[in-house]
Amino acid sequence: MSRNLDPVEPAGFPWKKLFLIVFAAGLFFALGTGAGVVLLAKFGDFPPIESAAAYRPSVTSKIFDRNNRVVGEIYLEKRNLVPFEAIPPHVVNAFVAAEDANFFRHKGVDYIAIARAVVKDVLSGEFAQGASTITQQTVKSLFLTPEKTVARKLKELILAYRIEKKLSKEEILYLYLNQIYLGDGAYGVEAAAQTYFSRGVSTLSVAEGALIAGLAQAPTRYSPRRHIDKARARQRYVLRRMSEVGFLDKNAAESAYKARLSLAPPSNFRSKAAYFLEHVRNYLQEKYGTDAMYRNEFRIYTTIDERLQEMAYDALTQGVRRIEEANKYKGLQGAMLCMDPGSGGVLAMVGGVDFGASQFNRALQARRQPGSAFKPIVYAAALGKGKTLVSSVDDSPIEFARSETELWKPKNYDETFLGPIPLLEALAKSRNLATVRLLNEIGVDTAIGMARNLGIQSPIERNLSIALGSSGVTPLEMVTAYSTFAAGGQRPTPFFIREVQDGQGRVLERTDPKGVQAIAPETAYLTIRLMQEVLRTGTGVSAKRLSPNLAGKTGTTNENTDAWFVGGSPNLIAGVWVGFDTPASLGKRQTAASVALPIWANFFGKALGYVPDREFPSPAGITFARVDPATGKAAPPGSGEGMVLPFKLGTVPETGGPAGRPSPSRRGTGDDLL
């Protein structure tokens, strides 16, 4: 019986079948694409090509510090527009060689590249091989979404063809090189050059330009910060392509690859200045509007000092971390603000320990009890009414009636009593009872008036407890008040922005520093001398080593809930606050001297290497005399005993006589306002 056997297939790879498949696929693709293009071009919805000619993307506004160094940027996309003429030819050629070698020959679409891509897609069995020209990439970025669909691809082809008819090749490259994303948040070659090399694109070498051009295909995969080996391999590919297409000879390409690359370290200053920069951004957005801020390439000249800001951030964050570790708790917060007393310019501001976790700016927005840091205001008020540094005040028990059935009995932190002591000692040792008696004597309204003159605008309770800092204030207010003392009684108006210019260099606003003679220069100087004693012999003595010229005051509230230190020099006043956002005790013995003062001292120890360390100038109405602070009596002529202290003219005590205008201590009388 005969059998019909199937013919035997010839051995070997079926090239003919493959050719037929590829040919058929290509034919159907071409026909389908052609039909789709015709129909889409006739009936599809397209954005106007003219908008590309009026290219106006979101741009980067730059923030400068007080020394005119760039310290921050405001952007939706980090982009700095640069004219095509400013981009070196070797940078342009690097992108063309790597992304679209036929760019200057095709009309927007490279059909040879498309055919090559189709073949590779068929062989791989997936839609993976790209064939987009620089023109196609440009229209996709400007007008289309990144989705991978046939309809989107056809629109891309049509738009590429249309834009080539409207714009020159150079104009298309201008759009492409300013629009393309190149990693690390950088859009366009200028932003990329600044990001990776801290220089403008016009300064880039062949090697650097090739590295940046290599990022166009996959910015994350070829990131030189994360994957330097992959970035270098991609750079080599770009240089080889530049050689192959005739932009670079082979030896030059090899030399460029061997050239040493020095990447700029990523800047972390923005995180250290986040609260300051965000305050500036919010102000600009509120005043000029969102669209103007992101489209006008503003140049914002601020008061921030880059070095002082870094010092402040490091001191505060390290200090808070130290306290948390020592006390085995977390969630502690802090704030620090530094001001130039002469102008009111805010030189540094840290509104919290972690901007990413909390954008609440405690330096400007948190009203917390200042504790004894408020006492210098009370003493300044007393000096304004005729008291001297050696006027006597009684540090002994006192009580006041809150009501018919309730008494208020203030006490000293150490629960001891020193009896009659001079104002100089009372403030230096932060004696509560002496301060309450002093406030009771001069009147609560006198102290509140002094606080208002010094720039404190927060509500202040009209009672004697304000002597101990019971009314909440912000760090900005406290620094402004102390800056008034440092500036000889001239209250500065705090400001953050010196000048704002638009993209054309037109000045939109400029701040002229303003000061008001808020208190007498002599009163301010005497208050400074009181606060110098705090650092020499009082609660701030641990910072004595820094300089004999510095002045400041500690502040601790009930149950060690808030810790403050505010003080500084004629050129710089800094305030530190530490506490929990929801008030809670910092722990036993966690006073301002052990919590806030070390942070302030850490900062000022570094700052004094940068700002002048000089004496506070004495005004014309001040004279100096040697006195015995314990008795308030002037020393006899020629005596070396006692201390040389400043006095207002006409208030120097007589030899052997009392100083100033001593008043007998009173119990529960006067302004008993509780």
Side-chain angles (χ1 to χ4, degrees), residues 20 80 134 136 147 187 189 222 240 271 322 444 450 465 482 485 493 502 528 530 563:
L20 290 173
N80 301 315
I134 282 177
Q136 288 175 258
E147 60 182 343
Y187 288 81
V189 291
Y222 298 122
R240 187 176 71 248
S271 64
R322 173 187 59 81
V444 168
M450 175 60 70
S465 69
Y482 279 54
F485 295 139
T493 300
D502 65 12
I528 287 291
L530 285 174

Side-chain angles (χ1 to χ4, degrees), residues 81 99 102 110-111 213 220 255 265 287 418 444 484 501 573 594:
L81 285 177
E99 295 297 310
N102 294 322
D110 189 341
Y111 297 104
T220 301
S255 297
K287 182 168 184 177
L418 301 180
V444 168
T484 305
Q501 296 178 3
I573 293 294
S594 61

